[in-house]
Amino acid sequence: MHSVESSEASPTPEQTRPDAAGSDDTDRQGEIARLLSQAEALRQEAEEYRNRAMRWQAEFENYQKRVQRQMADDRRYAAADLIRDLLPVLDNLQRAIESAEKNHDLSALLAGLNMIVKQWHDVLARYECRRIEALNQPFDPNLHHAISRQPSGETPPNTVIYVTQEGYTLHDRVVRPSQVVVSTAPDAPDAESGETQQT
């Protein structure tokens, strides 16, 4: 008995899975869509960070400008408190002048001027500005400016024997050194003989 050959050929593996190629395309398209979605999300996140950084930069620049304006104002009006405290001293000085013009009382004028000088020193002390004690002190080039030297048998050499202009400090800084005359040994050249030692 002979086997009868079928008129139809056996299906190939590809023919048994007609949707295989379509499935691969769908998977690839899905992966591409997912990657595009991730890329878009990353792009939006980067844009958000960029916008945030630009806002922070703008805010920082505005802050710097405000600080610079504040510092400029502080420097411009730094002396306002001092001036406010000195104005009463000026008022008293003007009153003393007016009183002297009316009364011609020199003793009263002198007393008034002494009071004003004390008031002036009190104001300066309030701002930690103090007179440098120089007379009869050892010469200190950090505090004193010697304008001449004179022989003296009454004080040790290198001692301040005369103050020609008072010096002042502000906190721990010298605002103006005292101008002074400094003693030398008695056998040193006399200042008035033209041999003054200048410093």
Side-chain angles (χ1 to χ4, degrees), residues 5-195:
E5 293 182 4
S6 172
S7 61
E8 296 181 0
S10 299
T12 63
E14 288 77 7
Q15 291 173 331
T16 60
R17 292 179 298 156
D19 62 337
S23 177
D24 287 346
D25 287 345
T26 302
D27 289 346
R28 279 195 293 273
Q29 289 175 357
E31 181 67 14
I32 291 171
R34 186 179 66 79
L35 291 173
L36 288 174
S37 176
Q38 286 182 348
E40 178 61 20
L42 289 173
R43 188 194 67 77
Q44 290 179 357
E45 186 177 1
E47 184 68 17
E48 181 182 348
Y49 284 134
R50 177 177 171 277
N51 291 336
R52 192 180 303 173
M54 290 177 66
R55 285 196 303 272
W56 286 344
Q57 182 178 3
E59 289 176 3
F60 181 68
E61 288 174 355
N62 290 336
Y63 169 76
Q64 283 184 313
K65 290 176 183 176
R66 284 196 305 271
V67 169
Q68 288 172 354
R69 282 196 301 269
Q70 183 65 45
M71 290 175 63
D73 284 347
D74 289 347
R75 285 193 297 269
R76 186 175 184 182
Y77 300 107
D81 290 340
L82 175 60
I83 291 172
R84 193 177 297 114
D85 287 342
L86 285 176
L87 287 176
V89 181
L90 178 61
D91 294 339
N92 286 336
L93 185 57
Q94 289 174 332
R95 280 193 284 268
I97 293 172
E98 291 171 2
S99 175
E101 288 175 345
K102 292 177 182 177
N103 302 324
H104 303 287
D105 186 347
L106 292 180
S107 61
L109 175 62
L110 182 60
L113 290 176
N114 283 327
M115 179 196 72
I116 292 168
V117 169
K118 181 184 181 309
Q119 186 182 14
W120 182 277
H121 282 292
D122 290 344
V123 171
L124 292 180
R126 205 174 308 151
Y127 289 86
E128 299 299 324
C129 181
R130 302 185 186 280
R131 185 171 61 88
I132 296 172
E133 295 295 334
L135 188 62
N136 298 322
Q137 300 295 315
F139 174 72
D140 183 347
N142 297 311
L143 301 174
H144 311 137
H145 173 67
I147 59 172
S148 69
R149 296 183 178 272
Q150 289 184 3
S152 173
E154 301 176 357
T155 58
N158 215 36
T159 300
V160 174
I161 56 175
Y162 188 71
V163 179
T164 61
Q165 186 179 73
E166 299 285 2
Y168 290 87
T169 59
L170 180 62
H171 297 285
D172 58 350
R173 181 177 296 180
V174 175
V175 176
R176 183 179 76 182
S178 301
Q179 288 189 2
V180 298
V181 177
V182 181
S183 66
T184 61
D187 56 351
D190 189 351
E192 295 183 0
S193 67
E195 297 177 317

